[in-house]
Amino acid sequence: MTVNDKLQADWEPKSDAVQRDQRAAYDEMRERCPVAYSDFLEWSVFRHEDIVRVLMDPDTFSNAASRHLSVPDGMDPPEHTEYRRMIVQYFQPERVDAFEPQCREIAAKRLQSLLGRDELEFIGDFAHWFAVRIQSASLGWPLEMCEPLRLWTQKNHQATFAQDRPAMAEIAKEFEGYVHELLQIRRAAGAQASDDITGSLLRQYVQGRPLRDEEIVSIVRNWTVGEVGTISAALGILVHYLAQHPDLQQQLRTQPSLLPAAIDEILRIYGPLVSNRRITTRPVEIGGRKIAAGERISLIWISANRDGRVFEDPEAYRLDRDPTANLLYGAGIHVCPGAPLARMEMRVAMEEILGHTTRIDPIPERPPTGAVYPGSGFATLPLRVR
């Protein structure tokens, strides 16, 4: 019998009450039951201090929590170290800077096609479209892949929330098929193959051998799931916040140099990524709860970044906070390697959005609808733009 056989659920993460306002629910859990058990997520950790402890102790809290190959997110040292060393090259400043003009062109053209309208449904009309389009562009995928990729991310989200294992397996197989086809095209082209990330991964070595196709699939899938969902959610959160705060909206138009810090602070308040997983390698006590070896743990980023023990007046927008306390991109050996790319993409998108508009307003009679786990932010976001 395991520890879990004796446990009663402390909360229900999939309940309507939680999904109606995830931020408020996680805030409540942080104060009422900072380490909580549920049938859906097993253990969840809500306090900033406890989450940092987990992040800084990968020997006790392993990243190998996935049932499937996950490169490098689901790996521990020393295996993780070698794969990550290979991957971080794709997020070096020169690569990010080289991609910025294309990213800006994608954002500007899309906005130009939309801004003749009085109203936008921002998530569908721009945020999700932009996230899919820039992900395809960064990987070197053809334009005709954007619509299948958009539909794939939606199906993946729905299956994850429902924990529909057969559907999740079929969706994973579908993505695998896309990547295998693109790899075959590049192999067939030989020296004439396009010089993009997908082709480059074919030339990478780990442990003295080329990457296997299943490893490339895993790398690209992890990037895609993380990139599309998080960038889309983040842009919705940012634009919604500015629509609610017109003075800040105008300040950022006139002082765009404030955008990088403003983006990080708004996303601290309204986190675009709900959680990541770990698995215990030994019995441990955290937050007064005893957890056995082999137990799954969810780190609730949104709650940690709103913890008043670390962030005074956590709901307030302030640019004088210690940026190192913000766990927007995690911390420790698994800190997000794609953070430089994500920051550039969000900054460029917001520069273009603010530059192409003079005013962004909410529509009171058509309020936004919230996203559900594993998503954050908004499912729909009607706005008036000028």
Side-chain angles (χ1 to χ4, degrees), residues 258-325:
L258 296 177
L259 262 173
I263 288 169
D264 277 10
E265 173 65 355
I266 294 168
L267 296 181
R268 179 198 63 76
I269 301 170
Y270 285 82
L273 179 65
V274 178
S275 66
N276 280 131
R277 295 179 298 171
R278 299 292 190 273
I279 190 166
T280 53
T281 61
R282 58 176 72 106
V284 65
E285 183 172 330
I286 186 166
R289 304 297 293 269
K290 293 183 177 180
I291 302 175
E295 297 287 291
R296 294 178 182 275
I297 293 178
S298 290
L299 309 179
I300 309 298
W301 304 117
I302 292 175
S303 171
N305 269 341
R306 295 166 56 83
D307 190 337
R309 298 163 188 80
V310 177
F311 303 99
E312 182 183 7
D313 193 7
E315 288 270 9
Y317 167 88
R318 287 172 39 180
L319 296 187
D320 62 347
R321 302 187 190 275
D322 176 5
T324 64

Side-chain angles (χ1 to χ4, degrees), residues 34 41 62 64 66 81 84 102 106 134 186 197 261 302 321 341 353:
L41 293 179
S62 166
S66 176
T81 307
R84 184 180 172 99
Q102 187 178 4
I106 289 168
I134 58 172
R186 282 153 180 78
I197 289 178
I302 292 175
R321 302 187 190 275
L341 177 64
I353 289 166

Side-chain angles (χ1 to χ4, degrees), residues 330-347:
I333 66 170
H334 291 283
V335 66
C336 178
L341 177 64
R343 283 190 163 110
M344 180 278 287
E345 290 168 346
M346 289 187 289
R347 172 182 57 79

Side-chain angles (χ1 to χ4, degrees), residues 104-150:
R104 189 177 299 279
E105 182 182 13
I106 289 168
K109 284 186 175 179
R110 182 62 172 178
L111 287 164
Q112 288 164 3
S113 73
L114 294 174
L115 290 177
R117 310 177 190 177
D118 291 333
E119 298 181 4
L120 297 179
E121 194 293 282
F122 183 78
I123 301 300
D125 289 339
F126 183 83
H128 194 65
W129 182 96
F130 174 77
V132 170
R133 183 69 184 83
I134 58 172
Q135 177 64 1
S136 295
S138 70
L139 293 172
W141 290 14
L143 279 174
E144 55 265 28
M145 279 299 303
C146 289
E147 183 61 10
L149 186 57
R150 184 187 71 81

